[in-house]
Amino acid sequence: MEMKFVMIIILGFGFMFVFTAFQTMCNIEKTILDSISQEDDSFRGDGYTSLAILYLFFSLSNWLAPSFISFTGPRVAMVVGASTYTLFMITFLFPSTALLYVASAVLGLGASITWTGQGTYLARCSNAETISRNSGIFWALLQCSMFFGNLFVYYQFQDKTHIDKETRNLVIGVLTGVAILGIVFLAALRFMASNAEQDNELEQQHTGCGQALYALKLAGKLFCTKRMLLLSLAFFYTGLELSFFSGVFGSSIGFTSKIASTPKEIVGLVGICIGVGEVFGGGFFGILASKTTRFGRDPIVIAGYVLHMAAYLMTFLNLPNSAPFTDTTDISYLDPPSATMALVCAFLLGLGDACFNTQVYSMLGGEFVNNPVGAFALFKFTQSVAAAISFFYSSHFGLYVQLAILVATGTIGTVAFVIVEWSFKREHREMEK
């Protein structure tokens, strides 16, 4: 087996274990913190605020991520960044409002170098022919994290209306151990040289602070191009929908009392169904990359848009407007709310997210080969800005307003992505003449 492909597999397993911990924690954080606050009157930590701080620092530090990676390389950056995910998990064993928010900020800094390092390493292990396959396979392995952590949470939260301290500590302890295993996989990655002209220029003509400043300058220059500005609209939507399905959707179901006798246990099943959709989409696009590449990336993104619009409509009909905030007996248009419909929506959200993200990775790794570090940093910058904004307004806007925002930004983002994809198709056809 080709060594670069083996490294993609190891990269996928590393992220799978780290994000088994983190994505599961995001899914249950609001529920966990709500239980802590019921036991400790001095605790004022809020899950949405924590995630908003995380993504705020994530977005700001993405501008510095290319400079950091110019010093360390993508492998070291991913190991250092993944360590901050483990630190974040550990803080839940020692409930403190201040500690929660500080750890969220530190994780935001670490996440920027983790994801920019991942995109850079993926690009270095790929070429124009393999980038779609590698992106799909990595995404499928990454999203397997939605299975294992949430399945564990489902069994631990079963028949519980309140998550007691013993259960919380067991879940957090296990997830922390899994995150550490992921760091071991990332540390095992081999060095991969860059094929990008600008990366080589960066390494050969600049050293020290000059290298870091040059990397920042390249990222800023790329951000101002017409194509990247258009793509930023699509990136922005992926941030909003990421925060919705990873933080708001599961909590809304857990707070909807009439959806089941013990709605908290359904939160784990929601995560599993999102994971099924993510893995199916990533695996499908990875295995059939040679066929899907012929038709371009735009049909897959349009399919993801349709799946998400269907999920938002069903969520609007199924869950009450007050669901994101706290336990509620309110209903929407269905009485009682349907747990089955909620799980179908979770699957559609996961599958649609896979459609968007695999094609974004494919475009950035395949079309921006001269500056993959800057391209992936800008993707994560825009996505995390959107996620931060979403988590801030999630504490104030009802479910229906949040769904309306997703519909509007999803439409704009999809159109923008299709325009850029068509421009690349025209460019390739002209080069072939």
Side-chain angles (χ1 to χ4, degrees):
M1 189 181 294
E2 183 187 1
M3 181 53 64
K4 287 186 176 181
F5 185 66
V6 173
M7 291 300 103
I8 292 293
I9 299 298
I10 295 175
L11 180 69
F13 273 107
F15 272 71
M16 181 186 76
F17 287 121
V18 171
F19 283 88
T20 290
F22 178 67
Q23 290 192 5
T24 303
M25 197 67 232
C26 280
N27 200 30
I28 64 174
E29 182 176 357
K30 181 72 174 176
T31 305
I32 289 283
L33 296 181
D34 185 61
S35 296
I36 293 174
S37 63
Q38 290 176 22
E39 298 175 5
D40 182 359
D41 292 337
S42 66
F43 184 78
R44 293 288 183 269
D46 177 73
Y48 294 149
T49 303
S50 164
L51 293 170
I53 292 171
L54 190 165
Y55 282 101
L56 174 63
F57 277 82
F58 187 2
S59 62
L60 296 175
S61 57
N62 266 301
W63 285 102
L64 301 177
S67 301
F68 185 90
I69 291 172
S70 72
F71 279 114
T72 65
R75 293 183 305 155
V76 174
M78 285 187 285
V79 172
V80 173
S83 300
T84 64
Y85 285 88
T86 306
L87 176 66
F88 179 74
M89 303 296 302
I90 293 173
T91 61
F92 284 86
L93 297 173
F94 311 97
S96 164
T97 304
L99 184 61
L100 171 68
Y101 293 154
V102 169
S104 299
V106 171
L107 176 53
L109 299 174
S112 66
I113 59 175
T114 302
W115 280 106
T116 304
Q118 177 271 331
T120 305
Y121 195 83
L122 179 72
R124 290 185 179 185
C125 291
S126 308
N127 55 39
E129 288 72 36
T130 62
I131 184 64
S132 292
R133 179 202 67 185
N134 291 348
S135 298
I137 290 173
F138 169 79
W139 194 256
L141 286 171
L142 167 65
Q143 297 303 335
C144 283
S145 61
M146 300 294 289
F147 284 117
F148 307 121
N150 285 294
L151 188 61
F152 175 63
V153 165
Y154 170 71
Y155 283 110
Q156 290 300 316
F157 286 8
Q158 208 162 24
D159 300 324
K160 292 182 183 291
T161 56
H162 171 79
I163 312 305
D164 57 88
K165 182 177 180 180
E166 183 180 352
T167 302
R168 292 197 305 266
N169 288 350
L170 174 61
V171 169
I172 294 165
V174 170
L175 294 180
T176 301
V178 172
I180 292 172
L181 179 60
I183 295 173
V184 173
F185 271 84
L186 295 177
L189 291 169
R190 291 189 179 183
F191 171 78
M192 289 292 166
S194 172
N195 294 321
E197 294 176 5
Q198 290 182 341
D199 277 1
N200 291 332
E201 182 182 349
L202 179 65
E203 294 170 0
Q204 294 168 11
Q205 299 183 14
H206 301 270
T207 57
C209 292
Q211 194 178 59
L213 290 172
Y214 185 69
L216 180 61
K217 180 181 176 182
L218 286 178
K221 185 177 179 180
L222 178 61
F223 186 69
C224 294
T225 63
K226 179 182 177 181
R227 283 172 172 168
M228 188 56 71
L229 288 173
L230 280 171
L231 283 176
S232 293
L233 298 174
F235 299 163
F236 192 85
Y237 170 66
T238 65
L240 295 184
E241 55 99 0
L242 165 68
S243 60
F244 179 75
F245 79 72
S246 66
V248 177
F249 184 66
S251 298
S252 297
I253 292 171
F255 288 144
T256 303
S257 301
K258 290 188 176 182
I259 202 167
S261 56
T262 52
K264 297 292 187 291
E265 70 181 41
I266 299 179
V267 175
L269 288 179
V270 168
I272 292 170
C273 289
I274 292 172
V276 171
E278 296 275 16
V279 173
F280 176 78
F284 181 80
F285 301 133
I287 294 170
L288 299 180
S290 60
K291 292 182 172 57
T292 57
T293 302
R294 270 188 311 178
F295 301 104
R297 304 174 184 94
D298 45 311
I300 297 173
V301 167
I302 292 171
Y305 168 77
V306 172
L307 292 171
H308 274 179
M309 293 304 113
Y312 299 150
L313 175 60
M314 287 190 285
T315 300
F316 171 75
L317 296 174
N318 195 33
L319 300 180
N321 189 48
S322 58
F325 305 125
T326 189
D327 291 327
T328 178
T329 57
D330 293 348
I331 59 170
S332 183
Y333 292 90
L334 297 182
D335 186 12
S338 170
T340 301
M341 181 179 287
L343 296 178
V344 170
C345 288
F347 173 79
L348 295 179
L349 288 171
L351 182 55
D353 183 62
C355 290
F356 276 96
N357 278 280
T358 55
Q359 302 316 298
V360 166
Y361 272 78
S362 175
M363 178 174 285
L364 295 182
E367 306 292 354
F368 295 89
V369 291
N370 286 332
N371 190 8
V373 179
F376 281 102
L378 293 173
F379 166 45
K380 285 301 174 180
F381 162 73
T382 312
Q383 187 182 59
S384 52
V385 165
I389 292 171
S390 176
F391 280 121
F392 271 120
Y393 70 58
S394 293
S395 299
H396 307 285
F397 292 169
L399 180 63
Y400 300 158
V401 173
Q402 295 187 46
L403 290 173
I405 292 171
L406 288 166
V407 170
T409 55
T411 302
I412 295 169
T414 300
V415 171
F417 185 95
V418 170
I419 291 172
V420 175
E421 172 67 6
W422 287 354
S423 74
F424 277 123
K425 284 182 178 179
R426 286 194 300 270
E427 183 179 286
H428 295 323
R429 282 196 296 267
E430 291 172 1
M431 292 173 62
E432 291 172 358
K433 291 180 180 179

